[in-house]
Amino acid sequence: MWAIAVAVVMAIAVALPAPSASAADSSESVDMYRLYNLNSGEHFYTANKTERDGLESAGWIYEGIGWKAPVRSSTPVYRLYNPQSGDHHYTVNANERDMLVAAGWRYEGIGWYSSDTNRDYPLYRQYNPNAVAGSHNYTLNNNEARSLVNAGWHDEGIAWYGVGGGTSVPLPQFMRPSGGAYPNLATVPNLSIEVSIAAQRVYVRSGMNTIYTMIASTGMNNSTPRGTFRVQNRGGSFYNAREGMGANYWVSWKDWGVYLFHSVPTDVQGHYIVSEGRKLGRPASHGCVRLSIPDAKWLYDQLPANTPVTVH
């Protein structure tokens, strides 16, 4: 069924009606909220604040206002849901809507409206042929659209039109680098790592100079060992059934796989636990040192074995 549904979506071009003399948007607009599911890769769009807040409570990442839509126009945007993949799809094309319903998608009604007359705020549509969920992206940002197309997504043109711009919000700390661009650790002389339990920070040092600072979460109840250690082995991921958590991008600094630098936690399915990620910056682990996802990957990729690690 999924293959059929994808074929249906790809078979239909996005067809927007041309503005007419009688077409008119309502004078009022509504904010369109954009959310992101870190684990499925799906972006979700809604004008409903209650739905937005419920998804954020369930672990979705709120990304801000994507655009402003007219409260009403003659061009509805239809919302559909694929119960097999968990994916949503949005279209102004009634034929596309009907073919997806015939292929097993659920029609969820009119999500919002496209502008009949304003062409200043086009929403660009891209398709990822390799994704199961989150296979389509819709964005007001042409730079985002071009970036995805350059990365292999298919450009599907303009999906609909808004009547105003959006306002983004920063990604949660656990999803972004702590301090901007990363230095190349292979070129750093006298490299060492310092972990401050009091500050909940990890300092990357070149001799006496700090060259990068990362926000961290050390162990609850003083469970992170203090002392001087060295980087040992590493791995892509692990899961601890006793704790009910795992993580990605781990680098051991004590007892060969017991005490680690690693990403914020994952669950048994390998999905990031957003509620745990939001604890970054305060003691939350069972003794390891948690880092943001990109910070942990950077150390996993670049931190040389035998690098000194001091914890105090």
Side-chain angles (χ1 to χ4, degrees):
M1 181 67 75
W2 170 245
I4 295 173
V6 169
V8 170
V9 174
M10 290 299 294
I12 304 176
V14 181
L16 286 166
S20 67
S22 61
D25 304 333
S26 62
S27 59
E28 300 171 326
S29 65
V30 60
D31 292 337
M32 293 301 309
Y33 306 113
R34 171 168 152 159
L35 299 103
Y36 177 67
N37 189 316
L38 178 64
N39 297 305
S40 72
E42 180 186 4
H43 282 98
F44 183 79
Y45 313 86
T46 180
N48 188 313
K49 289 183 179 180
T50 300
E51 186 172 35
R52 176 200 67 186
D53 294 345
L55 288 174
E56 191 173 15
S57 297
W60 289 65
I61 306 301
Y62 175 53
E63 295 186 318
I65 297 170
W67 71 98
K68 293 180 183 294
V71 169
R72 188 166 296 277
S73 75
S74 63
T75 310
V77 179
Y78 307 112
R79 170 172 148 174
L80 300 105
Y81 175 70
N82 187 326
Q84 295 191 20
S85 67
D87 200 15
H88 283 86
H89 186 66
Y90 315 90
T91 180
V92 298
N93 189 317
N95 290 329
E96 183 178 27
R97 174 200 64 192
D98 295 343
M99 291 182 70
L100 286 174
V101 169
W105 291 63
R106 295 176 186 166
Y107 175 52
E108 295 188 330
I110 295 172
W112 55 87
Y113 290 86
S114 174
S115 175
D116 288 330
T117 56
N118 192 325
R119 293 298 183 257
D120 292 335
Y121 300 94
L123 272 294
Y124 303 101
R125 168 172 152 171
Q126 307 86 46
Y127 170 70
N128 185 342
N130 300 311
V132 174
S135 57
H136 280 85
N137 185 64
Y138 310 84
T139 180
L140 194 67
N141 188 327
N142 195 29
N143 289 330
E144 179 184 359
R146 287 200 303 268
S147 176
L148 290 176
V149 170
N150 290 338
W153 292 58
H154 296 172
D155 180 3
E156 294 192 330
I158 296 172
W160 57 79
Y161 291 92
V163 294
T167 306
S168 63
V169 297
L171 286 175
Q173 183 60 61
F174 75 89
M175 292 180 62
R176 53 191 170 95
S178 292
Y182 296 119
N184 182 356
L185 296 184
T187 65
V188 175
N190 301 314
L191 178 65
S192 66
I193 304 294
E194 178 186 344
V195 179
S196 171
I197 293 174
Q200 294 294 289
R201 295 292 188 271
V202 173
Y203 305 104
V204 180
R205 298 194 183 279
S206 174
M208 298 297 292
N209 298 319
T210 298
I211 61 171
Y212 203 89
T213 300
M214 294 178 285
I215 300 172
S217 286
T218 59
M220 298 176 289
N221 303 315
N222 289 313
S223 56
T224 299
R226 290 166 167 81
T228 300
F229 314 96
R230 288 189 177 272
V231 170
Q232 300 168 330
N233 53 329
R234 71 193 66 207
S237 64
F238 72 90
Y239 182 74
N240 187 320
R242 179 174 58 84
E243 296 176 358
M245 294 181 188
N248 294 326
Y249 312 122
W250 62 267
V251 176
S252 178
W253 45 268
K254 186 179 187 298
D255 296 341
W256 295 92
V258 177
Y259 292 98
L260 319 168
F261 297 115
H262 61 66
S263 73
V264 295
T266 56
D267 62 18
V268 66
Q269 297 177 311
H271 296 159
Y272 287 108
I273 305 172
V274 173
S275 60
E276 290 293 322
R278 288 177 172 148
K279 296 177 183 178
L280 193 67
R282 63 182 191 267
S285 79
H286 296 89
C288 292
V289 179
R290 298 178 181 178
L291 302 169
S292 77
I293 299 166
D295 286 354
K297 187 176 187 303
W298 174 52
L299 291 194
Y300 169 77
D301 287 339
Q302 293 197 19
L303 189 60
N306 212 39
T307 299
V309 176
T310 301
V311 182
H312 62 84

